[in-house]
Coordinates of all heavy atoms in Angstrom, one line a residue:
M1 N -19.5 132.3 -82.2 CA -20.8 132.9 -82.6 C -20.6 134.2 -83.3 O -19.5 134.8 -83.2 CB -21.7 133.1 -81.4 CG -21.3 134.2 -80.5 SD -22.3 134.3 -79.0 CE -21.4 133.1 -77.9
A2 N -21.6 134.6 -84.0 CA -21.4 135.9 -84.8 C -21.3 137.1 -83.7 O -21.9 137.0 -82.7 CB -22.6 136.1 -85.6
P3 N -20.5 138.1 -84.0 CA -20.3 139.2 -83.1 C -21.6 139.9 -82.6 O -21.7 140.2 -81.5 CB -19.4 140.2 -83.9 CG -18.6 139.3 -84.8 CD -19.6 138.2 -85.2
A4 N -22.6 140.0 -83.5 CA -23.8 140.6 -83.1 C -24.5 139.8 -82.0 O -25.1 140.4 -81.0 CB -24.7 140.8 -84.3
T5 N -24.4 138.5 -82.1 CA -25.1 137.6 -81.1 C -24.3 137.8 -79.8 O -24.9 137.9 -78.7 CB -25.0 136.2 -81.6 OG1 -25.6 136.1 -82.9 CG2 -25.8 135.3 -80.6
R6 N -23.0 137.8 -79.9 CA -22.2 138.0 -78.6 C -22.5 139.3 -77.9 O -22.7 139.3 -76.7 CB -20.7 137.9 -79.0 CG -19.7 138.0 -77.8 CD -18.3 137.8 -78.2 NE -18.1 136.4 -78.6 CZ -17.9 135.4 -77.7 NH1 -18.0 135.6 -76.4 NH2 -17.7 134.2 -78.1
S7 N -22.6 140.4 -78.7 CA -23.0 141.7 -78.1 C -24.3 141.6 -77.4 O -24.5 142.1 -76.3 CB -23.0 142.8 -79.2 OG -21.8 142.9 -79.8
F8 N -25.3 141.0 -78.1 CA -26.6 140.9 -77.5 C -26.6 140.1 -76.2 O -27.2 140.6 -75.2 CB -27.6 140.2 -78.5 CG -29.0 140.0 -77.9 CD1 -29.9 141.0 -77.9 CD2 -29.3 138.7 -77.4 CE1 -31.1 140.8 -77.3 CE2 -30.6 138.5 -76.8 CZ -31.5 139.6 -76.8
L9 N -25.9 139.0 -76.2 CA -25.8 138.2 -75.0 C -25.0 138.9 -73.9 O -25.3 138.6 -72.7 CB -25.3 136.8 -75.3 CG -26.1 136.0 -76.2 CD1 -25.4 134.7 -76.5 CD2 -27.5 135.7 -75.6
T10 N -24.0 139.7 -74.2 CA -23.3 140.4 -73.2 C -24.2 141.4 -72.5 O -24.0 141.7 -71.3 CB -22.1 141.1 -73.9 OG1 -21.3 140.2 -74.6 CG2 -21.2 141.9 -72.9
E11 N -25.1 142.0 -73.3 CA -26.0 143.1 -72.7 C -27.2 142.5 -72.1 O -27.9 143.2 -71.4 CB -26.3 144.1 -73.8 CG -25.1 144.9 -74.2 CD -25.3 145.5 -75.6 OE1 -26.4 145.6 -76.1 OE2 -24.3 145.9 -76.2
N12 N -27.6 141.2 -72.4 CA -28.8 140.6 -71.9 C -28.5 139.2 -71.5 O -28.3 138.3 -72.3 CB -29.9 140.5 -73.1 CG -30.1 141.9 -73.7 OD1 -31.0 142.6 -73.1 ND2 -29.4 142.2 -74.7
A13 N -28.4 139.0 -70.2 CA -28.1 137.7 -69.6 C -29.2 136.7 -69.7 O -29.0 135.5 -69.5 CB -27.6 137.8 -68.2
L14 N -30.4 137.2 -70.0 CA -31.6 136.3 -70.2 C -31.9 135.5 -69.0 O -32.4 134.3 -69.2 CB -31.4 135.4 -71.5 CG -31.1 136.1 -72.8 CD1 -30.8 135.1 -73.9 CD2 -32.1 137.1 -73.2
K15 N -31.8 136.1 -67.8 CA -32.0 135.3 -66.6 C -33.4 134.8 -66.5 O -34.4 135.6 -66.8 CB -31.7 136.3 -65.4 CG -31.8 135.6 -64.1 CD -31.4 136.6 -63.0 CE -31.4 136.0 -61.6 NZ -32.7 135.6 -61.1
D16 N -33.6 133.5 -66.2 CA -34.9 132.8 -66.1 C -35.7 132.8 -67.4 O -36.9 132.5 -67.3 CB -35.7 133.5 -65.0 CG -35.0 133.3 -63.6 OD1 -34.2 132.3 -63.4 OD2 -35.2 134.2 -62.8
K17 N -35.1 133.2 -68.5 CA -35.9 133.2 -69.8 C -35.7 131.8 -70.4 O -34.7 131.2 -70.3 CB -35.3 134.2 -70.7 CG -35.4 135.7 -70.3 CD -36.8 136.2 -70.4 CE -36.8 137.7 -70.1 NZ -38.1 138.2 -69.9
K18 N -36.8 131.4 -71.1 CA -36.7 130.2 -71.9 C -36.1 130.6 -73.2 O -36.5 131.5 -73.9 CB -38.1 129.6 -72.1 CG -38.8 129.1 -70.9 CD -40.2 128.6 -71.3 CE -40.9 128.1 -70.1 NZ -42.3 127.7 -70.4
V19 N -35.0 129.9 -73.5 CA -34.2 130.3 -74.7 C -34.2 129.1 -75.7 O -33.8 128.0 -75.3 CB -32.8 130.7 -74.3 CG1 -32.0 131.1 -75.5 CG2 -32.9 131.9 -73.3
C20 N -34.5 129.4 -77.0 CA -34.3 128.4 -78.0 C -33.3 129.0 -79.0 O -33.5 130.1 -79.5 CB -35.6 128.2 -78.7 SG -36.9 127.5 -77.6
V21 N -32.3 128.3 -79.3 CA -31.2 128.8 -80.1 C -31.1 128.0 -81.4 O -31.2 126.8 -81.4 CB -29.9 128.7 -79.4 CG1 -28.7 129.2 -80.2 CG2 -29.9 129.4 -78.0
F22 N -30.8 128.7 -82.5 CA -30.4 128.0 -83.7 C -29.2 128.7 -84.3 O -28.9 129.9 -84.0 CB -31.5 127.9 -84.8 CG -31.8 129.2 -85.5 CD1 -31.1 129.5 -86.7 CD2 -32.7 130.1 -85.0 CE1 -31.4 130.7 -87.4 CE2 -33.0 131.3 -85.7 CZ -32.3 131.6 -86.9
A23 N -28.4 127.9 -85.0 CA -27.1 128.4 -85.6 C -27.1 127.9 -87.0 O -27.6 126.9 -87.3 CB -25.9 128.0 -84.8
T24 N -26.3 128.6 -87.8 CA -26.1 128.2 -89.2 C -24.6 128.1 -89.4 O -23.8 128.9 -88.8 CB -26.7 129.2 -90.2 OG1 -26.1 130.5 -90.0 CG2 -28.2 129.3 -90.1
N25 N -24.2 127.2 -90.2 CA -22.8 127.1 -90.6 C -22.6 126.2 -91.8 O -23.5 125.5 -92.2 CB -22.0 126.6 -89.4 CG -22.4 125.2 -89.0 OD1 -21.9 124.2 -89.6 ND2 -23.3 125.0 -88.1
G26 N -21.3 126.2 -92.3 CA -21.0 125.5 -93.4 C -20.2 124.2 -93.1 O -19.3 123.8 -93.7
G27 N -20.6 123.6 -92.0 CA -20.0 122.3 -91.6 C -19.2 122.3 -90.3 O -18.8 121.3 -89.8
W28 N -19.1 123.5 -89.7 CA -18.4 123.6 -88.4 C -19.1 124.5 -87.5 O -19.0 125.7 -87.5 CB -16.9 124.1 -88.7 CG -16.1 124.0 -87.5 CD1 -15.5 122.9 -87.0 CD2 -15.6 125.1 -86.6 NE1 -14.8 123.2 -85.9 CE2 -14.8 124.5 -85.6 CE3 -15.8 126.5 -86.6 CZ2 -14.2 125.2 -84.6 CZ3 -15.2 127.2 -85.6 CH2 -14.4 126.6 -84.6
L29 N -19.8 123.9 -86.6 CA -20.6 124.7 -85.6 C -19.6 125.3 -84.5 O -19.9 126.3 -84.0 CB -21.6 123.8 -84.9 CG -22.3 124.4 -83.7 CD1 -23.2 125.6 -84.1 CD2 -23.1 123.4 -82.9
G30 N -18.5 124.6 -84.3 CA -17.6 125.1 -83.3 C -18.2 124.9 -81.9 O -19.0 124.0 -81.7
H31 N -17.9 125.8 -81.0 CA -18.4 125.7 -79.6 C -19.5 126.8 -79.3 O -19.6 127.3 -78.2 CB -17.3 125.8 -78.6 CG -16.1 126.6 -78.9 ND1 -16.1 128.0 -78.8 CD2 -14.9 126.3 -79.4 CE1 -15.0 128.5 -79.2 NE2 -14.2 127.5 -79.6
T32 N -20.2 127.2 -80.4 CA -21.2 128.3 -80.3 C -22.2 128.0 -79.2 O -22.4 128.8 -78.3 CB -21.9 128.4 -81.6 OG1 -20.9 128.9 -82.6 CG2 -23.0 129.5 -81.5
F33 N -22.8 126.8 -79.2 CA -23.8 126.5 -78.2 C -23.3 126.5 -76.8 O -23.9 127.0 -75.9 CB -24.5 125.1 -78.5 CG -25.4 125.2 -79.8 CD1 -25.9 124.0 -80.3 CD2 -25.8 126.4 -80.3 CE1 -26.7 124.1 -81.5 CE2 -26.6 126.4 -81.4 CZ -27.1 125.3 -82.0
E34 N -22.1 125.9 -76.6 CA -21.5 125.8 -75.3 C -21.2 127.3 -74.8 O -21.4 127.6 -73.6 CB -20.2 125.0 -75.3 CG -20.3 123.5 -75.4 CD -20.5 123.1 -76.8 OE1 -20.5 123.9 -77.7 OE2 -20.7 121.9 -77.0
D35 N -20.7 128.1 -75.7 CA -20.4 129.5 -75.3 C -21.6 130.3 -74.9 O -21.6 131.0 -73.9 CB -19.7 130.2 -76.5 CG -18.3 129.7 -76.8 OD1 -17.8 128.9 -76.0 OD2 -17.8 130.1 -77.9
I36 N -22.7 130.0 -75.7 CA -24.0 130.7 -75.3 C -24.4 130.3 -74.0 O -24.8 131.1 -73.1 CB -25.0 130.5 -76.4 CG1 -24.7 131.2 -77.7 CG2 -26.4 130.9 -75.9 CD1 -25.6 130.9 -78.9
K37 N -24.4 129.0 -73.7 CA -24.8 128.5 -72.4 C -24.0 129.1 -71.2 O -24.5 129.5 -70.2 CB -24.7 127.0 -72.3 CG -25.9 126.3 -73.0 CD -25.7 124.8 -72.8 CE -26.9 124.1 -73.5 NZ -26.6 122.6 -73.5
K38 N -22.7 129.2 -71.5 CA -21.8 129.8 -70.5 C -22.1 131.3 -70.2 O -22.0 131.8 -69.1 CB -20.3 129.7 -70.9 CG -19.7 128.3 -70.5 CD -18.2 128.3 -70.9 CE -17.8 126.9 -71.2 NZ -16.6 126.9 -72.1
M39 N -22.4 132.0 -71.3 CA -22.7 133.4 -71.2 C -24.0 133.7 -70.5 O -24.2 134.8 -70.0 CB -22.7 134.1 -72.6 CG -21.3 134.2 -73.2 SD -21.4 134.9 -74.8 CE -21.5 136.6 -74.4
C40 N -24.9 132.7 -70.5 CA -26.2 132.9 -69.9 C -26.5 131.8 -68.9 O -27.4 130.9 -69.2 CB -27.3 132.9 -71.0 SG -27.0 134.1 -72.2
P41 N -25.8 131.7 -67.8 CA -25.9 130.5 -66.9 C -27.3 130.4 -66.3 O -27.6 129.3 -65.8 CB -24.8 130.8 -65.9 CG -24.5 132.2 -65.9 CD -24.8 132.7 -67.3
N42 N -28.0 131.5 -66.2 CA -29.3 131.4 -65.5 C -30.5 131.4 -66.5 O -31.7 131.6 -66.1 CB -29.5 132.6 -64.6 CG -28.4 132.5 -63.5 OD1 -28.2 131.5 -62.9 ND2 -27.8 133.6 -63.2
A43 N -30.2 131.2 -67.8 CA -31.3 131.1 -68.8 C -31.7 129.6 -68.8 O -30.9 128.7 -68.4 CB -30.8 131.5 -70.1
K44 N -32.9 129.4 -69.3 CA -33.4 128.0 -69.4 C -33.3 127.6 -70.9 O -34.2 128.0 -71.7 CB -34.8 127.8 -68.9 CG -34.9 128.1 -67.4 CD -36.4 128.2 -67.0 CE -36.5 128.7 -65.6 NZ -37.9 129.2 -65.3
F45 N -32.4 126.8 -71.3 CA -32.2 126.4 -72.7 C -33.1 125.3 -73.0 O -33.0 124.2 -72.4 CB -30.8 126.1 -73.0 CG -29.9 127.4 -73.0 CD1 -29.2 127.8 -71.9 CD2 -29.9 128.2 -74.1 CE1 -28.5 128.9 -71.9 CE2 -29.2 129.4 -74.2 CZ -28.5 129.7 -73.0
E46 N -34.0 125.5 -74.0 CA -35.0 124.4 -74.2 C -34.7 123.7 -75.5 O -34.6 122.5 -75.5 CB -36.4 125.1 -74.4 CG -36.7 125.9 -73.1 CD -38.0 125.6 -72.5 OE1 -39.0 125.5 -73.3 OE2 -38.1 125.4 -71.3
E47 N -34.5 124.4 -76.6 CA -34.2 123.7 -77.9 C -33.0 124.4 -78.5 O -32.8 125.6 -78.4 CB -35.4 123.9 -78.9 CG -36.7 123.4 -78.3 CD -36.8 121.9 -78.2 OE1 -36.0 121.2 -78.9 OE2 -37.5 121.4 -77.3
M48 N -32.2 123.5 -79.2 CA -31.0 124.0 -79.9 C -30.9 123.3 -81.2 O -31.0 122.1 -81.3 CB -29.8 123.8 -79.1 CG -29.8 124.5 -77.7 SD -28.2 124.5 -76.9 CE -28.0 126.2 -76.5
L49 N -30.8 124.1 -82.3 CA -30.7 123.4 -83.6 C -29.6 124.0 -84.4 O -29.4 125.2 -84.5 CB -32.0 123.7 -84.4 CG -32.1 123.2 -85.8 CD1 -32.1 121.6 -85.8 CD2 -33.2 123.8 -86.6
N50 N -28.8 123.1 -84.9 CA -27.7 123.5 -85.8 C -28.2 123.3 -87.3 O -28.5 122.2 -87.6 CB -26.4 122.8 -85.5 CG -25.3 123.2 -86.4 OD1 -25.2 124.4 -86.8 ND2 -24.4 122.3 -86.8
V51 N -28.2 124.3 -88.1 CA -28.6 124.2 -89.5 C -27.3 124.2 -90.3 O -26.7 125.2 -90.4 CB -29.6 125.3 -89.9 CG1 -30.1 125.1 -91.3 CG2 -30.8 125.4 -88.9
E52 N -27.0 123.1 -90.9 CA -25.8 122.9 -91.6 C -25.9 123.0 -93.1 O -26.9 122.5 -93.7 CB -25.2 121.5 -91.3 CG -23.7 121.4 -91.5 CD -23.2 120.1 -91.0 OE1 -23.4 119.7 -89.9 OE2 -22.6 119.4 -91.9
F53 N -25.0 123.7 -93.7 CA -25.0 123.9 -95.2 C -23.8 123.4 -95.8 O -22.7 123.3 -95.2 CB -25.1 125.4 -95.5 CG -26.5 126.0 -95.2 CD1 -26.8 126.4 -93.9 CD2 -27.4 126.2 -96.2 CE1 -28.0 127.0 -93.7 CE2 -28.6 126.8 -96.0 CZ -29.0 127.1 -94.7
D54 N -23.9 123.0 -97.1 CA -22.8 122.7 -97.9 C -22.9 123.6 -99.1 O -23.7 123.4 -100.0 CB -22.8 121.2 -98.3 CG -21.6 120.8 -99.1 OD1 -20.7 121.6 -99.3 OD2 -21.6 119.6 -99.6
E55 N -22.0 124.7 -99.1 CA -22.2 125.7 -100.1 C -23.7 126.3 -99.9 O -24.0 126.7 -98.8 CB -22.0 125.3 -101.5 CG -20.5 124.8 -101.7 CD -19.5 125.8 -101.6 OE1 -19.8 127.0 -102.0 OE2 -18.3 125.5 -101.2
D56 N -24.5 126.3 -101.0 CA -25.8 126.8 -100.8 C -26.9 125.7 -100.7 O -28.1 126.0 -100.7 CB -26.2 127.7 -102.0 CG -26.1 127.0 -103.4 OD1 -25.6 125.9 -103.4 OD2 -26.5 127.6 -104.4
V57 N -26.4 124.5 -100.4 CA -27.4 123.4 -100.1 C -27.5 123.2 -98.6 O -26.5 123.0 -97.9 CB -26.9 122.1 -100.8 CG1 -27.8 121.0 -100.5 CG2 -26.7 122.3 -102.3
M58 N -28.8 123.2 -98.2 CA -29.0 123.0 -96.7 C -28.9 121.5 -96.5 O -29.6 120.7 -97.1 CB -30.4 123.5 -96.3 CG -30.6 123.5 -94.8 SD -32.0 124.5 -94.4 CE -33.3 123.2 -94.4
R59 N -28.0 121.0 -95.6 CA -27.9 119.6 -95.3 C -28.8 119.1 -94.1 O -29.1 118.0 -94.1 CB -26.4 119.3 -94.9 CG -25.5 119.5 -96.1 CD -25.7 118.4 -97.1 NE -24.9 118.6 -98.3 CZ -25.2 118.2 -99.5 NH1 -26.4 117.6 -99.7 NH2 -24.4 118.4 -100.5
T60 N -29.1 120.1 -93.3 CA -30.1 119.7 -92.2 C -31.5 119.6 -92.9 O -31.8 120.4 -93.7 CB -30.1 120.8 -91.1 OG1 -28.8 121.0 -90.6 CG2 -31.0 120.5 -90.0
S61 N -32.2 118.5 -92.5 CA -33.5 118.3 -93.2 C -34.5 119.4 -92.8 O -34.5 119.9 -91.7 CB -34.0 116.9 -92.9 OG -34.4 116.9 -91.5
E62 N -35.4 119.7 -93.8 CA -36.5 120.6 -93.5 C -37.3 120.1 -92.4 O -37.9 120.9 -91.6 CB -37.3 120.9 -94.7 CG -36.6 121.8 -95.7 CD -37.4 122.2 -96.9 OE1 -38.7 122.2 -96.8 OE2 -36.8 122.5 -98.0
K63 N -37.4 118.8 -92.3 CA -38.3 118.1 -91.2 C -37.7 118.6 -89.8 O -38.5 118.9 -88.9 CB -38.2 116.6 -91.4 CG -39.2 115.9 -90.5 CD -39.2 114.4 -90.9 CE -40.0 113.6 -89.9 NZ -39.2 113.1 -88.8
K64 N -36.4 118.5 -89.7 CA -35.8 118.9 -88.4 C -36.1 120.4 -88.1 O -36.3 120.7 -86.9 CB -34.3 118.7 -88.4 CG -33.9 117.3 -88.1 CD -32.4 117.3 -87.6 CE -32.1 116.0 -86.9 NZ -30.7 115.9 -86.5
V65 N -36.0 121.2 -89.1 CA -36.3 122.6 -88.9 C -37.7 122.8 -88.5 O -38.0 123.6 -87.6 CB -35.9 123.5 -90.2 CG1 -36.3 124.9 -90.0 CG2 -34.4 123.3 -90.5
E66 N -38.6 122.1 -89.2 CA -40.1 122.2 -88.8 C -40.3 121.7 -87.4 O -41.1 122.4 -86.7 CB -40.9 121.4 -89.9 CG -41.2 122.2 -91.1 CD -41.8 121.4 -92.2 OE1 -42.4 120.3 -91.9 OE2 -41.6 121.8 -93.4
E67 N -39.7 120.6 -87.0 CA -39.9 120.1 -85.7 C -39.4 121.2 -84.6 O -40.1 121.4 -83.6 CB -39.0 118.8 -85.5 CG -39.7 117.6 -86.1 CD -38.8 116.4 -86.1 OE1 -37.7 116.5 -85.6 OE2 -39.2 115.4 -86.7
F68 N -38.3 121.8 -84.9 CA -37.8 122.9 -84.0 C -38.8 124.0 -83.9 O -39.1 124.4 -82.8 CB -36.4 123.4 -84.6 CG -35.8 124.5 -83.9 CD1 -35.1 124.3 -82.7 CD2 -35.9 125.8 -84.4 CE1 -34.5 125.4 -82.0 CE2 -35.3 126.9 -83.7 CZ -34.6 126.6 -82.5
I69 N -39.3 124.4 -85.0 CA -40.3 125.5 -85.0 C -41.6 125.1 -84.3 O -42.1 125.9 -83.5 CB -40.6 126.0 -86.5 CG1 -39.4 126.6 -87.1 CG2 -41.8 126.9 -86.5 CD1 -39.5 126.8 -88.6
N70 N -42.0 123.9 -84.5 CA -43.3 123.4 -83.9 C -43.1 123.3 -82.4 O -44.0 123.6 -81.6 CB -43.7 122.1 -84.5 CG -44.3 122.4 -85.9 OD1 -44.7 123.4 -86.2 ND2 -44.2 121.3 -86.8
K71 N -41.9 122.9 -81.9 CA -41.7 122.8 -80.5 C -41.7 124.2 -79.8 O -42.3 124.4 -78.7 CB -40.3 122.2 -80.2 CG -40.3 120.6 -80.3 CD -38.9 120.1 -80.0 CE -38.8 118.6 -80.3 NZ -37.5 118.2 -80.4
I72 N -41.2 125.2 -80.5 CA -41.2 126.5 -80.0 C -42.6 127.1 -80.0 O -43.1 127.7 -79.0 CB -40.3 127.5 -80.9 CG1 -38.9 127.1 -80.8 CG2 -40.5 128.9 -80.4 CD1 -38.0 127.8 -81.7
K73 N -43.4 126.8 -81.0 CA -44.8 127.2 -81.1 C -45.6 126.6 -79.9 O -46.4 127.3 -79.4 CB -45.4 126.8 -82.4 CG -45.1 127.7 -83.6 CD -45.9 127.2 -84.8 CE -45.7 128.0 -86.0 NZ -46.3 127.3 -87.2
A74 N -45.3 125.3 -79.6 CA -46.1 124.6 -78.6 C -45.7 125.2 -77.2 O -46.5 125.2 -76.3 CB -45.7 123.1 -78.6
Ligands
LIG1 C1 -15.9 135.3 -88.1 C2 -16.6 134.0 -88.4 C3 -16.0 133.0 -89.1 C4 -16.7 131.8 -89.4 N1 -16.1 130.8 -90.1 C5 -16.8 129.6 -90.3 C6 -16.1 128.6 -91.0 O1 -15.0 128.6 -91.4 N2 -16.9 127.4 -91.2 C7 -18.2 127.3 -90.8 O2 -18.8 126.3 -91.1 N3 -18.8 128.3 -90.1 C8 -18.1 129.5 -89.9 N4 -18.7 130.5 -89.2 C9 -20.1 130.3 -88.8 C10 -20.2 129.9 -87.4 O3 -20.0 128.6 -87.2 C11 -21.6 130.4 -87.0 O4 -21.6 131.8 -87.0 C12 -22.0 129.9 -85.6 O5 -22.3 128.5 -85.8 C13 -23.3 130.6 -85.1 O6 -24.3 130.5 -86.1 P1 -25.0 131.9 -86.5 O7 -24.0 132.7 -87.2 O8 -26.1 131.4 -87.5 O9 -25.6 132.5 -85.3 C14 -18.1 131.6 -88.9 C15 -18.7 132.7 -88.2 C16 -18.0 133.8 -87.9 C17 -18.7 135.0 -87.2

């Protein structure tokens, strides 16, 4: 994960919080989501979305992004 996200999660364990995570990458998510879950064992992870790019073209469909946003809004 990006260093700023790691710092935030180190300082805020998000205990009992509902958490929705998205990440961006150029084809390699790595273990970002697993790492975030391990860092916040008492958070409630609800939605997770990986937004994948190929150079400047977004490969994840806009529909998926909209679904993610609508689930959070609900
Ligand atoms: C130092 C660093 C190097 C990265 N290198 C790659 C890479 O080679 N390929 C790639 O697809 N993503 C790369 N990423 C993006 C990470 O996969 C991405 O940061 C992670 O999925 C979390 O998403 P976010 O930065 O949107 O929070 C890199 C991120 C960082 C911080």
Side-chain angles (χ1 to χ4, degrees):
M1 72 185 84
T5 307
R6 182 172 292 281
S7 297
F8 175 80
L9 294 176
T10 303
E11 290 160 19
N12 303 275
L14 306 178
K15 187 175 182 295
D16 298 330
K17 299 281 186 196
K18 291 180 183 172
V19 181
C20 300
V21 181
F22 74 90
T24 58
N25 64 83
W28 190 72
L29 173 65
H31 34 78
T32 297
F33 288 167
E34 287 83 1
D35 290 350
I36 290 174
K37 281 183 177 170
K38 274 185 211 156
M39 289 179 78
C40 306
N42 298 312
K44 295 172 190 161
F45 289 95
E46 305 233 313
E47 303 293 334
M48 298 189 133
L49 176 72
N50 181 34
V51 184
E52 201 175 306
F53 288 82
D54 184 1
E55 299 293 329
D56 57 352
V57 178
M58 190 168 89
R59 291 292 176 209
T60 302
S61 70
E62 283 187 28
K63 188 169 171 275
K64 273 200 164 178
V65 177
E66 276 170 23
E67 281 170 5
F68 176 78
I69 293 166
N70 289 333
K71 279 182 190 163
I72 294 171
K73 278 186 184 169

